Each structure stands twice: as C-alpha cells, then as structure tokens.
Amino acid sequence: MRKITLIVALIGLSIAANAQTVKLQSAISDLRNGRLNKAKANIDAAAEHEDTKNDPKTWIYKGLIYCQLGAPDVKDKYKGLCDNCFEVAYEAALRCKELDQTNEYKDLNNSVFRAVGGAYYNNTVDTYTAATQKNDTNLYREAIRMAEEVIKINNNSGDKSSTGDAYWIAGLSAEMLKDATAIERYYKILVRQKTDKERVYKALFDLYRSQNDTTKALNIASTYSTKNQPNDFKSHLLMSTAYLWVGNVDKAKESANTAIEKVSGSTDSVKGLVYCQIGNILNDAKEFELAHQNFNNALSLANTGDIVKFEANHGLGILYYNEAANYIEAANAVPLDDQTGKYDELLNKSKEQFQLAIPHFTTSMKMVENDKYRIGHYVTALRALKTIYTRLEMQDQLSEITNRLKAIGLDN
C-alpha cells in the first residue's frame, strides 16, 4: 500500500528572477548545487526577511528545499537537519499558494504538495501497520488522523491518486475501533468512487444488518452487485446473503447462480471456492440441503487443489454439526409427557448427523494442523469433534482430541 514519494527534479530548474535579497539568491544557488545545509539556512533567513517573506518565490523554494531534506535518499550528511521536513514543506506550499496570485508557481508548488502527500501517506501506512501488529487503539486513531491529513493535502494539489487509499486505511482503522460512524463515513465515500474492495461493501452490510436496517443493507448489496461491480462474483454472493437475511430464498438462489455464472470460465479452484462460499452462506441461513449440494459440487471438481478440499470438508463438517444441533434443539422442545417416542427419534437423528460430520472434520483438521495461519479452523474442528465424541460416547477418540487441544494450550 506504500506510495513512492515524489521528489522534484531540481537540476537546471529555471524560474524568472525578480529583485531578491542575497539570502534568497544564495538559497537558490545552494539548492541547485546540492548544498542543502546552506540552502536551508539561507531560505529560513529569507522567509523572515522583510523584502522576501511575502514573495511566493521564497516559499516555493522553501518547500522544495525541505522536500529534498526529507527525501529517503538524502545524503547522510544532510540527514537530521530537520525533524519535521515535510510538515515545514507543507506549510511553505500553503503559504506559496496564498501569495501566488498569478499562479506563476502553481505547477511547481503542486509538485511539493504531491511530495508531501506521498510522505504523509507512507507514514499513514506505517502507523496502520504498527497498529495492527500491536493491536493499539491509539495508533489506529493516529492512522485515521494522518489519513485525514493526506486527504487534505491531496485536495490542495488536485492530485488524488492516494486519496482513495487514505480513505481505505481510515476505514480499516475505524473497523478495528468498532466506530460505526467512522466506518460509514469513510466507506460510503469509497462506494461512491465505485471501489472494487469487497470488504468495504461487506463491512457496511454487516453494520446495517447489526442495526437491523433492512433498507440500507439491501441497498449496499444491490449497489455493489448491480451498479459498481456487476462482473465480480463476490458482489452477487453478498446479494445472496442479503436476500437470505430477509427470507427471500428464491432471489438468494438467483444471486448465487449469477455468482457461479461469473466464474464459469475460471479454473476449478476458483469455481470450487465459489461453491464453498455459497455453501457457507446457505448453511448460515439453515438451508442445509442447498448448502450440501454446493459443497458436494466443489468436491466433484477435478482440479481444485487443497484449499477447496479443505473449505468443502470443513463446511460439510459444520453443516452436519448444525443439523445435529437443530435435532437436539427440537428434541429438547418435546414435552416431557410425550409418549410417541419423538424425543428419542430426534436424538437418534442428531447422532446420525454427528456421525456424518466426523470424516469431514477429521479431514479438515489434518489438513491444517501444522498451519499457523489457520489455527482458528483447527481449533473449530477439534472442539466440534470433542462435542461429537462426547455425545456419541466415543471415549478413545475423545481422549485423542482432548490431548490435541491441550497440546496447543486449550483444555476445552
């Protein structure tokens, strides 16, 4: 996500000279000849001199000099001459813009704004990265503040190439802070820009769903799938989720089928992942039969690779587990005085589903047991199997799973 800081080429720079003091003349000469220490001293003095402090030329050169001082490749002997080089350059560019009534230095001054914006953006990325590594809420807030600065700087230069990325970082930080207002503010701007980032639409959809705002939730899913990214299969998967949420199973099926159509010419791996995602959506909606079909469709593809095999097996394990849980819930709802045998019938059906879940969880567990990036999936499979073996009174298998959990520091 980093941007390369724009450093203005200064060799041979020619700007028409009017009457100017020795300090400004010296600063220009020093800059052209790479004497940045002297250039800084002279331009600082010119910025305070009565004859040059209101001259836009002074401030364009101050911006250029300080950009050079802050450049990553500045010579070691010039490093440390300023702690806040780009902040000073930014203030200088603002002052130049204010004084340059004829726009004589507009283009050059915009290059200073762009250099400053690039530097600020890099710092914003670094701050966000540090926030994620440390899970530091203060750093997430700082990343938002810095992103706002990037946006403001870009607005001054007219170059908004990194503005969308700044909104993106601000939105990601807002998500980590669970700041609903900020999430909506930053991500809605990206939606208006027709971003292709699935996370933006998903975050807004989840936000509106948590607020039980059906209208906004359906609208964001529809905007994604029909206006902004109609050729992206992920947009139709979100639309399918939205339809299932409001109970429109037929429309959900249509959107799921559209998602499959969008990847019809793709590899088996891509198609398999889409089938798995549809299966997960349907499973969450307790449309178990349709979910089962999609997971099996994924497994039936010839060249999917391990990722799809894992996702399909893990999904089927969860599906059968959920079906078993539904039977248990139904059994617990049977009246105590019922003499029809309904209670035992439902419990037996739950056991059947648990039995069906075992091979799929076992497969998915073994596929990720040494994958530190999928430890969550590994734990899910272990805990599901522990419950299943407890329910089915399979003591030997239960002992093995319990030992696996203890081996990773979990006793339950």
Side-chain angles (χ1 to χ4, degrees):
M1 294 197 300
R2 292 179 64 84
K3 300 288 184 186
I4 298 174
T5 304
L6 172 65
I7 300 300
V8 183
L10 296 172
I11 304 300
L13 177 66
S14 176
I15 298 179
N18 296 318
Q20 48 193 304
T21 67
V22 173
K23 291 294 184 182
L24 179 54
Q25 288 177 323
S26 297
I28 295 172
S29 177
D30 291 331
L31 176 60
R32 288 174 175 170
N33 290 283
R35 299 185 295 266
L36 294 182
N37 54 339
K38 293 182 178 180
K40 176 183 180 299
N42 284 316
I43 201 64
D44 286 346
E48 295 180 1
H49 196 284
E50 287 297 324
D51 291 342
T52 50
K53 69 179 184 179
N54 293 315
D55 186 343
K57 184 183 296 183
T58 300
W59 297 99
I60 186 60
Y61 272 101
K62 183 159 187 171
L64 292 170
I65 290 167
Y66 274 83
C67 278
Q68 288 287 72
L69 289 169
D73 58 351
V74 69
K75 291 181 180 179
D76 288 342
K77 65 180 179 179
Y78 298 133
K79 289 181 179 178
L81 289 179
C82 51
D83 295 327
N84 54 345
C85 304
F86 286 104
E87 288 87 340
V88 175
Y90 180 44
E91 292 299 324
L94 288 174
R95 183 62 175 151
C96 177
K97 184 176 182 179
E98 177 187 355
L99 294 171
D100 187 18
Q101 299 298 313
T102 63
N103 290 326
E104 181 180 356
Y105 307 112
K106 179 180 178 180
D107 290 342
L108 193 56
N109 200 42
N110 281 342
S111 71
V112 174
F113 279 127
R114 286 192 292 273
V116 173
Y120 271 56
Y121 178 78
N122 287 343
N123 289 337
T124 303
V125 173
D126 290 341
T127 301
Y128 173 76
T129 301
T132 60
Q133 293 170 344
K134 300 176 182 179
N135 194 25
D136 188 320
T137 56
N138 289 328
L139 284 176
Y140 282 123
R141 292 190 184 94
E142 178 65 6
I144 290 176
R145 185 195 69 77
M146 295 177 72
E148 291 279 9
E149 286 293 318
V150 172
I151 294 163
K152 182 169 67 175
I153 293 167
N154 288 351
N155 285 339
N156 273 301
S157 70
D159 178 6
K160 300 185 179 181
S161 58
S162 63
T163 298
D165 290 329
Y167 281 119
W168 169 235
I169 292 176
L172 291 173
S173 299
E175 278 195 72
M176 300 308 296
L177 293 170
K178 294 181 172 58
D179 186 336
T181 301
I183 291 170
E184 187 173 28
R185 179 168 68 250
Y186 296 120
Y187 280 168
K188 282 180 71 174
I189 291 171
L190 292 177
V191 171
R192 286 197 290 272
Q193 295 175 353
K194 296 188 176 183
T195 181
D196 61 356
K197 291 180 170 59
E198 177 195 15
R199 181 165 178 167
V200 169
Y201 302 97
K202 183 71 165 54
L204 288 172
F205 175 78
D206 289 342
L207 173 63
Y208 297 141
R209 182 164 59 173
S210 71
Q211 297 170 345
N212 205 33
D213 193 327
T214 306
T215 301
K216 285 186 176 180
L218 287 174
N219 183 62
I220 196 66
S222 178
T223 298
Y224 186 21
S225 62
T226 63
K227 296 179 181 179
N228 288 8
Q229 301 296 327
N231 293 319
D232 187 344
F233 73 89
K234 293 186 289 292
S235 70
H236 300 286
L237 291 178
L238 184 62
M239 194 73 248
S240 182
T241 300
Y243 279 132
L244 283 173
W245 177 53
V246 296
N248 195 333
V249 177
D250 289 338
K251 283 289 188 180
K253 290 179 186 177
E254 288 181 17
S255 291
N257 287 334
T258 301
I260 294 169
E261 290 171 6
K262 295 299 178 183
V263 296
S264 59
S266 301
T267 63
D268 282 356
S269 294
V270 173
K271 286 187 280 190
L273 286 174
V274 173
Y275 278 126
C276 288
Q277 289 181 57
I278 293 172
N280 289 327
I281 292 169
L282 293 167
N283 190 10
D284 290 342
K286 297 186 177 182
E287 293 289 337
F288 298 128
E289 184 177 350
L290 290 172
H292 192 279
Q293 291 174 13
N294 279 277
F295 287 127
N296 280 334
N297 284 341
L299 289 175
S300 70
L301 296 170
N303 302 302
T304 58
D306 287 344
I307 293 178
V308 173
K309 291 176 182 176
F310 166 78
E311 293 291 345
N313 277 288
H314 196 71
L316 282 167
I318 293 173
L319 186 155
Y320 286 126
Y321 187 96
N322 287 345
E323 285 189 291
N326 275 5
Y327 281 124
I328 292 172
E329 184 180 355
N332 290 334
V334 174
L336 294 176
D337 58 356
D338 183 271
Q339 300 298 317
T340 65
K342 188 70 174 177
Y343 178 81
D344 290 334
E345 178 188 348
L346 291 169
L347 280 186
N348 287 333
K349 286 184 176 181
S350 75
K351 291 177 180 179
E352 291 173 4
Q353 298 303 308
F354 278 141
Q355 286 282 4
L356 291 170
I358 291 173
H360 296 292
F361 274 133
T362 301
T363 298
S364 68
M365 173 191 72
K366 290 180 178 179
M367 291 182 76
V368 296
E369 61 183 330
N370 297 315
D371 187 345
K372 65 180 181 179
Y373 297 107
R374 293 200 171 189
I375 185 67
H377 292 96
Y378 181 58
V379 171
T380 296
L382 289 178
R383 285 179 167 162
L385 285 169
K386 182 177 180 180
T387 298
I388 291 170
Y389 292 143
T390 301
R391 285 276 182 178
L392 299 180
E393 299 180 353
M394 300 171 66
Q395 296 304 320
D396 291 342
Q397 293 85 345
L398 177 59
S399 177
E400 178 195 346
I401 294 301
T402 301
N403 288 335
R404 281 178 176 268
L405 282 166
K406 288 181 178 178
I408 57 174
L410 298 171
D411 293 327
N412 51 60

